[in-house]
């Protein structure tokens, strides 16, 4: 049985697609778990549904070795709680919004992605309204760290 991981931010065009691409890249390098983990992302808002990631996330992700080209935004739905084992929010507002639609029977892990990171930060800052590249690089730095921590947890579960 695969472990299914869903990353969630607000628009699903900056942070959570970056998390999807980074985590997928990391998992794909690990032969012992690469076939046992399924990964997706979604936004709490549906404003960008069907859209490609933000051009800055695409471009800066590519310079860091991550391919976001094929990803398309979608809105999170209550049914996701029946599909996914880990639902990981990028910030506290995303988590509050997810808790509001969490079914009582959900027995998976709903929490902040950065709880798995080696960082004192608890939230991935929203880079959408920032200028320049720095905010997008920081998003990747935080997501890389949290991805490594999440892999340790998932490996413990699987092997
Ligand atoms: P994300 O960033 O939640 O990391 O995808 C945002 C994308 C779009 C908007 C806000 C944040 N927006 O207001 O459209």
């Amino acid at each position: 049985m695969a472990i299914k991981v869903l990353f969630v931010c607000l628009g699903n065009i900056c942070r959570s697609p970056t998390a999807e691409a980074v985590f997928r890249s990391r998992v794909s390098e690990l032969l012992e778990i690469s076939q046992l983990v399924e990964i997706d992302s979604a936004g709490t808002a549906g404003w960008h549904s069907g859209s490609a990631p933000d051009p800055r996330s695409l471009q800066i992700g590519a310079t860091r070795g991550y391919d976001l080209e094929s990803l398309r935004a979608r809105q999170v739905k209550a049914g996701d709680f029946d599909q996914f084992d880990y639902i990981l929010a990028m910030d506290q507002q995303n988590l509050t919004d997810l808790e509001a639609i969490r079914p009582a029977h959900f027995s998976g892990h709903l929490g902040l992605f950065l709880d798995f990171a080696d960082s004192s930060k608890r939230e991935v800052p929203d880079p959408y309204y920032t200028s320049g590249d720095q905010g997008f690089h920081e998003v990747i730095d935080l997501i890389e760290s949290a991805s490594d921590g999440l892999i340790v947890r998932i490996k413990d579960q699987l092997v």
Side-chain angles (χ1 to χ4, degrees), residues 9-15 47-48 126-129:
C9 63
L10 175 60
N12 193 210
I13 56 169
C14 297
R15 293 166 293 172
W47 309 316
H48 299 281
D126 187 346
Y128 186 68
Y129 293 106

Side-chain angles (χ1 to χ4, degrees), residues 43-142:
T44 57
W47 309 316
H48 299 281
S49 288
S51 297
D54 186 285
R56 298 164 293 176
S57 296
L58 283 172
Q59 191 246 319
I60 296 165
T63 68
R64 299 277 295 257
Y66 302 112
D67 181 5
L68 281 69
E69 291 284 346
S70 65
L71 304 181
R72 294 294 177 268
R74 73 169 178 90
Q75 188 170 20
V76 74
K77 52 187 189 292
D80 287 323
F81 286 88
D82 297 322
Q83 295 295 320
F84 290 94
D85 304 294
Y86 286 85
I87 299 184
L88 298 171
M90 297 297 131
D91 66 32
Q92 185 57 52
Q93 184 61 54
N94 307 148
L95 182 57
T96 299
D97 292 341
L98 288 164
E99 280 166 348
I101 58 165
R102 171 195 185 137
H105 64 262
F106 177 65
S107 60
H109 177 107
L110 173 62
L112 290 171
F113 185 31
L114 290 195
D115 285 347
F116 294 99
D118 187 12
S119 165
S120 56
K121 288 216 164 163
R122 300 205 67 222
E123 303 183 295
V124 182
D126 187 346
Y128 186 68
Y129 293 106
T130 62
S131 60
D133 293 355
Q134 182 48 38
F136 287 84
H137 278 292
E138 185 188 14
V139 165
I140 296 175
D141 292 340
L142 292 167

Side-chain angles (χ1 to χ4, degrees), residues 2-6 23-24 27 33-40 83-84:
I3 289 187
K4 297 181 182 171
V5 180
L6 180 68
F23 190 64
R24 181 172 289 125
V27 166
I33 64 165
S34 61
Q35 302 300 314
L36 300 174
V37 184
E38 292 179 19
I39 306 158
D40 195 5
Q83 295 295 320
F84 290 94

